[in-house]
Amino acid sequence: MTGKMYNEITLDLPLQEPDRQYYYMEKCRRHVHELEKEKGHALTFFVRTFGCQMNARDSEKLRGILLQAGLKECENEEADFVLYNTCTVRDNANQKVYGHLGYLQTLKKKNPAMKIALCGCMMQEPLVVERIKKSYCFVDLVFGTHNIYKLAELLYCCLTEKKMVVDVWDSAKAVVEDLPAVRKYPFKSGVNIMYGCNNFCSYCIVPYVRGRERSRDLEDILSEIRRLASGGVKEVMLLGQNVNSYGKTLAKPVSFAELLYQVNAVEGIERIRFMTSHPKDLSDGLIAAMRDCKKVCHHLHLPLQSGSSRILKVMNRCYTKEQYLDLVERIRAAIPDISLTTDIIVGFPGETKEDFEETLDVVQKVRFDSAFTFLYSKRAKTAAAEMENQVPEAVAKERFDRLLREVQQIASEVCGRDVNTVQPVLVECENDHQAGYVSGRLGNNLLVHFPGDASLVGQIVPVRLTNAKGFYYIGKSEKETEDGR
Ligand code: 5AD
Ligand code: SF4
């Protein structure tokens, strides 16, 4: 599929990005203003995000553009412009979107001027776009992962035309920086350090929908983080599909460890997280950087996928069970209080009872703080989709339930290990359920609820963890005790 739009705009406009998009934001603003005068009320938008942290970050950029385009954000789909940022990593993500589209159609019947837009990973699949064109003709705009920066231009097109606008690109043409973005929290932010993935794990659709690995320049990342810090951000989450291979393809190669040292030196930043690490690329240099950089949280998400060396080979993961266990040992030797989380797939083609037992064995040996478990889902174009010996659904489901019970049991035991210690907590919000309480996160990302008020939001507070509740803690601010309050 190419980037040809149904409706081409021919106007005298800046050719360079991001200027071209700022031009369209202004054009949208004027148009929206006219529409508002006509209708007598503000025009609203709503963005719903499906999927991972990368999509969540993309949605912040999309919302930033829509605000600049003059629309007001609202809290649900009863809006004039609804945008779904979709995921396709497993088939149930796609089914969810189709399900929601039915609901959007009923809303559009009530508000015929409503515009419906779809973007993100699922739209990179030609069969999906075909189905939308054929069966969901009430959709107004479709675009992919490589041109989200173009939303202002596409929105203008969509507001001024009646036909469905489709603009999906095969690959990234440019990395466009310096567009507006809004954040859910003023004190923490995701930062993309790389896009795409080159690993082609045999089950995974990501390399097909997000394209080849592209690292951002070190200086661009650092200046974004400095800007965030001067705007009050205390925590950054460095985002990429495979952060451990950051910088390998740059003209002047830089390692991820080096990036961590540099981010650690940015004044104002107090916590650094990153996601996701591939075990095959996790070097001793990176372990040392995690140990030495005081701001790097002691949390590592290290997807295992399977504990069977035979299955790992077919998955194209490039490590064995023993190498994974050895890596965990080296990490724990360097950072004893590290919190380890993982992803595991059950029911990969050809997985036998013995293979599954190997997975359980790794889970029992490592004792993850938490694990996301997934039933294998066949994805178009991937190597695994063509494999024989697809595991019957009932067998996979039974294994899945067994694994889930095991990881939950271990997680509830592991979670309590910091009880009675004092830990720094970044306070995120007032607690919805209990008046007079706030909620925040530990370095290992676990939630803590403790007595406090809105003035603490955005601050890092020392909290004594008094009760472990399985997947969260109840605590008491040490600040309060010192003050004698
Ligand atoms: N089926 C099931 N789970 C998958 N994942 C990726 N592709 C598939 C698939 N086809 C899981 C992996 C990955 C996480 C983001 O999603 O565990 O780490
Ligand atoms: Fe998918 Fe593997 Fe790339 Fe992760 S590393 S995005 S699982 S191909």
Side-chain angles (χ1 to χ4, degrees), residues 50-76:
F50 298 83
C52 66
Q53 306 258 6
M54 302 285 272
N55 266 19
R57 178 65 186 146
D58 284 350
S59 288
E60 293 181 345
K61 297 177 184 171
L62 294 164
R63 289 167 53 225
I65 295 171
L66 291 170
L67 286 171
Q68 290 278 315
L71 298 168
K72 313 268 171 313
E73 185 157 22
C74 70
E75 286 187 349
N76 57 42

Side-chain angles (χ1 to χ4, degrees), residues 218-232:
L218 181 68
E219 270 317 313
D220 289 341
I221 297 171
L222 290 174
S223 46
E224 179 175 341
I225 295 176
R226 284 189 205 110
R227 218 173 30 245
L228 289 169
S230 60

Side-chain angles (χ1 to χ4, degrees), residues 110-136:
K110 282 193 256 164
N111 173 14
M114 173 184 182
K115 298 284 184 184
I116 299 173
L118 303 172
C119 71
C121 296
M122 192 176 152
M123 300 306 125
Q124 292 294 140
E125 288 184 87
L127 287 177
V128 169
V129 177
E130 246 167 65
R131 180 168 167 186
I132 295 204
K133 281 188 196 162
K134 213 165 114 202
S135 314
Y136 298 84

